[in-house]
Amino acid sequence: MAGENQSLAAEFIILGFFDFPHLLVPLFLAFFLIYFLVLVGNLLIMVIVYSNTQLHTPMYFFLTNLAFLDICYTTMIFPNMLAHFFLAGTHVSLNGCLLQMFFFISMVSTEMLLLTVMAYDRYVAICNPLRYVTTMNDAVCMKLAAGCWLVRFIDPIPHIVIISRVPFCGSHTINHFFCDVVAVIKLSCSSTRDVEAANYIMGTLFAVAPFALTVTSYINIISTILKIRSKEGRRKAFSTCGSHLTVVILFYGVICSTYMRPTSTASVKYNKVLSLSYVVVNPLCNPMIYSLKNREIKNTLKKMQGTK
């Protein structure tokens, strides 16, 4: 009972980047610029797709969902992170920390599911092109997108329930720029086995399973592409999925290296740096990757610039 009281009364201090005092100003300016570019880049993707009726296809529909998601979870983290540069030792209650943790985990889960659905879309387009229109019709796309956004609320629940019952003793300083699961559980004065079990179980459901489906889709895609006789045909087929495959590798590589390890062996500073990859790099790179390798988006952008 005493441990439960300690947990419920806990108030945390977000350290942010104050362990790098000589880098505070350049880091603030860099993150402010990155946040601006993330907003502009992802909003631009959404505007481009909306303005060009030729882009009203399943692939671009899911891409706009991904762009909107990137805006959501960077906005959930960046404003607070930027404020921490001016407010040393920002205090946050346990409930506030759990709320941020809940939305962050749910949004990461949504991105995993969206990437899986996008891989399935490319699989149908390349491996079963004659059935593409009927298989990926508007109703199916809406259901798949809605499922990605609704199922996300299941993933954080075990983490939140377990962490809400964990006693926190001694230092309440979170060595991170937001309430990350690994950083918070490091402050516990009890066993972290339950949290690690939840990480592996939910990770299997919402990370390993979607990743396996994505890999399976791409094995079939690559196998089909290699059977195409003409070099131009293979090039066009690869170009339709190259951007998505790049995003998948970048996203899952960071997520697995950060969270699919025992909490007891995880370095908080190491995780803090890795977290920047999917909180900062992924949302920033996604619009660039899709636009630089996508002729339709580049042509639409040129037309929009020509009308100004």
Side-chain angles (χ1 to χ4, degrees):
M1 187 70 182
E4 184 176 350
N5 289 337
Q6 283 178 304
S7 176
L8 295 175
E11 184 178 62
F12 300 105
I13 300 173
I14 305 292
L15 181 62
F17 293 94
F18 273 87
D19 48 343
F20 305 103
H22 57 292
L23 295 176
L24 288 180
V25 173
L27 283 175
F28 172 82
L29 295 175
F31 290 143
F32 181 84
L33 177 61
I34 289 171
Y35 182 47
F36 175 78
L37 292 175
V38 166
L39 293 181
V40 171
N42 285 284
L43 282 173
L44 190 59
I45 290 288
M46 297 171 66
V47 170
I48 288 174
V49 174
Y50 176 80
S51 63
N52 187 349
T53 55
Q54 293 182 348
L55 299 182
H56 293 181
T57 63
M59 181 177 73
Y60 293 105
F61 170 71
F62 294 124
L63 179 57
T64 56
N65 275 265
L66 184 63
F68 179 70
L69 178 66
D70 284 341
I71 290 173
C72 286
Y73 80 69
T74 51
T75 299
M76 180 192 69
I77 291 175
F78 264 80
N80 285 334
M81 182 176 71
L82 293 173
H84 293 164
F85 282 97
F86 299 100
L87 303 172
T90 303
H91 290 258
V92 59
S93 66
L94 175 62
N95 289 336
C97 203
L98 292 175
L99 185 64
Q100 187 183 52
M101 198 181 297
F102 177 89
F103 282 108
F104 178 75
I105 295 173
S106 67
M107 288 177 186
V108 171
S109 299
T110 304
E111 183 150 359
M112 292 178 182
L113 295 174
L114 276 174
L115 291 175
T116 304
V117 169
M118 292 171 76
Y120 174 71
D121 172 71
R122 293 298 83 204
Y123 161 76
V124 177
I126 294 174
C127 300
N128 297 286
L130 297 179
R131 299 176 57 187
Y132 182 72
V133 175
T134 54
T135 303
M136 298 301 293
N137 58 57
D138 291 345
V140 171
C141 291
M142 290 296 293
K143 289 177 182 178
L144 288 172
C148 291
W149 286 96
L150 293 176
V151 171
R152 70 184 182 132
F153 291 109
I154 300 174
D155 188 13
I157 292 175
H159 300 88
I160 301 304
V161 170
I162 293 172
I163 293 175
S164 67
R165 299 175 181 274
V166 167
F168 297 96
C169 317
S171 174
H172 284 189
T173 300
I174 300 175
N175 188 3
H176 216 289
F177 53 89
F178 71 99
C179 289
D180 178 70
V181 173
V182 176
V184 172
I185 206 61
K186 278 283 187 180
L187 306 180
S188 171
C189 54
S190 65
S191 172
T192 61
R193 285 180 298 178
D194 291 342
V195 180
E196 290 182 14
N199 279 344
Y200 281 112
I201 293 172
M202 303 311 291
T204 300
L205 292 174
F206 290 93
V208 177
F211 180 69
L213 291 173
T214 302
V215 170
T216 302
S217 296
Y218 271 104
I219 289 174
N220 286 282
I221 289 171
I222 293 172
S223 176
T224 300
I225 292 175
L226 292 177
K227 293 177 183 178
I228 300 175
R229 293 184 178 181
S230 68
K231 290 183 179 180
E232 182 64 19
R234 289 196 296 269
R235 188 192 65 79
K236 288 183 178 179
F238 272 120
S239 67
T240 63
C241 57
S243 300
H244 178 257
L245 185 58
T246 303
V247 171
V248 167
I249 293 172
L250 181 65
F251 178 82
Y252 276 104
V254 175
I255 291 294
C256 291
S257 61
T258 305
Y259 292 109
M260 299 303 288
R261 295 182 296 126
T263 307
S264 57
T265 63
S267 167
V268 175
K269 285 191 176 182
Y270 175 72
N271 285 341
K272 186 195 293 190
V273 174
L274 278 179
S275 298
L276 290 174
S277 296
Y278 57 82
V279 173
V280 176
V281 179
N282 280 13
L284 178 64
C285 289
N286 286 355
M288 296 181 183
I289 292 171
Y290 281 108
S291 60
L292 290 176
K293 292 189 176 183
N294 193 295
R295 184 177 299 175
E296 289 84 359
I297 288 182
K298 288 191 289 187
N299 290 340
T300 304
L301 183 58
K302 289 178 181 178
K303 290 178 181 179
M304 291 173 63
Q305 292 174 335
T307 58
K308 293 181 180 181

